[in-house]
């Protein structure tokens, strides 16, 4: 009975298998896999309810080196041009390149005969709406575990949720940030300001001198105060995804827009692509992991985007207004 109930909340059977997850349900790995499966289901159902004519294609894939995933993608809807919500649970041996990337972030990884067994799992999503007055949204929550030569395990969590509007709407920005702040504040009042700054710093397109969007929260390599406390924090953040975004979509998905506004959206999406392909660590890690599924990694890219030579919006325009905020991040909640 419990298995049937769980199955209804998921988009597909989990990678590890329900029996196995229930048998090891006290282990954090199993609890995290159940959380990412539930988050995928919640987000897909919420998006499908906003775009009733469209439906998610559900793809289950396996990785021959170990593990697999579930990719759910909605394309060419009335409201969403492309929305993807992916779950992946992969394990095996860390590639040299991936281990190098981690060591460069201060991880001291002691390999046994050059081998590092790892397990990585997460849920990630990028939602590109049709209407330029509805922002793009991205979130990702993940857990990583590595077994070193002496059998000790290093583990950490990472993730975040951030918003990329084409045009600035202060009310939306405040709602989005407040919802994330409430999720963080349940655990520690220091978390939101710290992770908000980290988000602004991380999603920075250096060669453009601007952020990808108006931020949110972002964190990585979090392994304290304890496994249980960090897991509960990540759970609160995952549960905040639907309430921080869905009201904004409802508010604007029927707004009228001009061809000029649509063009500006396409140019902003070009910036989104630049960040993801040049700087994003998750994209890089995925591309460096043997046997990873390229379609799922590049799901974050929009269906359409544009790059115009030397495009500069007129001063004091609504287009210039959003650029100002992308160059100088604001505090939205105080």
């Amino acid at each position: 009975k419990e298995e049937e109930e769980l199955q209804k909340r998921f988009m597909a059977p989990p990678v590890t298998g329900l029996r196995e997850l229930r048998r090891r349900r006290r282990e954090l790995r199993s609890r995290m896999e159940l959380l990412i499966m539930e988050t995928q289901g919640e987000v897909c159902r919420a998006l499908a309810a906003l775009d009733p004519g469209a439906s998610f294609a559900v793809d289950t894939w396996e990785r021959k080196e170990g593990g697999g995933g579930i990719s759910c993608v909605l394309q060419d809807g009335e409201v969403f041009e492309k929305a993807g919500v992916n779950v992946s649970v992969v394990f095996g041996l860390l590639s040299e390149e991936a281990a190098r990337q981690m060591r460069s972030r201060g991880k001291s990884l002691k390999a046994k005969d050059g081998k590092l067994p790892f397990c990585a799992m997460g849920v990630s999503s990028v939602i590109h709406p049709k209407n330029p007055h509805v922002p793009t949204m991205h979130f990702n929550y993940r857990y990583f575990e590595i077994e070193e030569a002496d059998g000790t395990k290093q583990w950490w969590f990472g993730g975040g949720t951030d918003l990329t509007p084409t045009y600035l709407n202060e009310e939306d920005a405040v709602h989005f940030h407040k919802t994330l702040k409430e999720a963080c504040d349940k655990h520690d009042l220091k978390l939101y300001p710290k992770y908000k700054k980290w988000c602004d710093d991380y999603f920075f397109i250096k060669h453009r001198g601007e952020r990808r969007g108006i931020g949110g929260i972002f964190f990585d390599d979090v392994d304290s105060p304890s496994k249980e406390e960090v897991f509960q924090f990540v759970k609160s953040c995952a549960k905040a995804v639907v309430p921080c975004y869905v009201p904004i979509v409802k508010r604007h998905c029927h707004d009228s827009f001009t061809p000029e506004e649509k063009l500006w959206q396409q140019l902003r999406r070009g910036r989104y692509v630049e960040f993801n392909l040049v700087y994003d660590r998750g994209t890089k890690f995925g591309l460096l992991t043997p046997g990873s599924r390229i379609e799922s990694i590049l799901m974050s890219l929009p269906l359409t985007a544009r790059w115009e030579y030397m495009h500069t919006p007129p001063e004091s325009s609504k287009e210039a207004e959003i650029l100002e905020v992308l160059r100088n991040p604001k505090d939205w909640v105080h």
Side-chain angles (χ1 to χ4, degrees):
K1 186 82 188 121
E2 189 192 349
E3 280 186 26
E4 279 174 31
E5 276 308 300
L6 280 173
Q7 203 73 337
K8 277 186 206 148
R9 302 213 295 263
F10 300 161
M11 297 301 283
V15 175
T16 304
L18 266 180
R19 282 224 172 96
E20 182 71 1
L21 285 176
R22 287 187 61 212
R23 195 170 63 78
R24 299 180 10 202
R25 62 164 160 250
R26 285 193 171 77
E27 289 179 30
L28 193 120
R29 266 169 71 161
S30 301
R31 290 163 69 203
M32 184 65 181
E33 188 168 345
L34 288 168
L35 173 66
I36 61 181
M37 291 296 300
E38 281 185 25
T39 304
Q40 182 182 48
E42 266 169 39
V43 174
C44 288
R45 283 192 298 273
L47 297 179
L50 294 166
D51 206 341
S55 60
F56 276 93
V58 179
D59 253 345
T60 306
W61 51 273
E62 278 181 33
R63 176 177 174 269
K64 70 175 191 299
E65 292 83 354
I70 301 143
S71 297
C72 298
V73 181
L74 182 158
Q75 241 171 225
D76 267 334
E78 287 297 308
V79 176
F80 302 110
E81 195 165 297
K82 187 175 175 194
V85 191
N86 285 352
V87 155
S88 67
V89 179
V90 298
F91 45 85
L93 297 172
L94 209 56
S95 73
E96 232 345 278
E97 191 62 39
R100 199 175 305 134
Q101 197 189 327
M102 283 174 187
R103 287 193 181 102
S104 74
R105 293 187 351 238
K107 300 260 172 230
S108 60
L109 304 173
K110 294 181 280 295
K112 185 180 182 178
D113 308 325
K115 293 185 169 64
L116 279 167
F118 82 99
C119 163
M121 60 178 73
V123 56
S124 67
S125 171
V126 179
I127 301 155
H128 293 289
K130 278 204 163 153
N131 193 312
H133 299 295
V134 181
T136 283
M137 199 263 287
H138 156 259
F139 76 87
N140 170 300
Y141 290 100
R142 57 192 179 276
Y143 172 68
F144 218 95
E145 205 173 84
I146 287 183
E147 194 174 324
E148 295 191 88
D150 59 2
T152 56
K153 283 187 179 164
Q154 281 208 43
W155 58 268
W156 62 90
F157 288 89
T161 305
D162 62 279
L163 198 69
T164 305
T166 301
Y167 288 99
L168 185 63
N169 179 301
E170 299 235 349
E171 195 185 333
D172 295 345
V174 170
H175 165 81
F176 184 79
H177 277 269
K178 269 199 167 149
T179 310
L180 294 180
K181 182 180 184 296
E182 279 162 22
C184 294
D185 286 356
K186 281 183 203 157
H187 300 271
D188 185 339
L189 297 178
K190 293 191 205 83
L191 295 179
Y192 170 77
K194 180 180 171 183
Y195 294 159
K196 191 253 184 216
K197 183 183 184 315
W198 198 338
C199 188
D200 288 333
D201 292 344
Y202 178 76
F203 290 106
F204 183 58
I205 309 171
K206 288 191 196 74
H207 60 268
R208 298 284 188 185
E210 60 191 47
R211 272 91 198 145
R212 187 177 78 175
I214 60 159
I217 55 170
F218 178 86
F219 55 91
D220 209 353
D221 300 328
V222 177
D223 57 6
S224 67
S226 71
K227 219 178 206 182
E228 183 59 32
E229 285 171 279
V230 186
F231 174 70
Q232 292 301 337
F233 163 66
V234 167
K235 191 173 179 175
S236 296
C237 293
K239 297 283 174 214
V241 167
V242 169
C244 77
Y245 184 58
V246 165
I248 297 175
V249 181
K250 283 183 173 165
R251 206 178 292 150
H252 300 291
C253 62
H254 300 300
D255 289 5
S256 60
F257 59 89
T258 66
E260 291 73 27
E261 287 169 333
K262 187 68 186 170
L263 170 68
W264 178 242
Q265 180 196 46
Q266 297 289 297
L267 292 165
R268 295 314 308 161
R269 283 192 186 160
R271 298 284 207 268
Y272 205 91
V273 172
E274 286 175 31
F275 178 83
N276 281 28
L277 294 184
V278 179
Y279 299 112
D280 188 65
R281 273 218 302 262
T283 306
K284 282 184 180 173
F285 177 79
L287 295 173
L288 297 173
T289 301
S292 58
R293 190 168 186 265
I294 301 303
E295 283 297 328
S296 301
I297 295 162
L298 298 182
M299 168 215 82
S300 64
L301 302 182
L303 207 54
T304 58
R306 198 177 163 102
W307 286 266
E308 280 190 15
Y309 185 67
M310 300 290 281
H311 183 280
T312 312
E315 274 181 49
S316 311
S317 62
K318 278 162 62 195
E319 290 77 11
E321 178 189 32
I322 185 87
L323 282 182
E324 176 55 34
V325 173
L326 300 179
R327 287 171 187 149
N328 303 291
K330 278 179 72 165
D331 176 353
W332 298 103
V333 293
H334 294 104

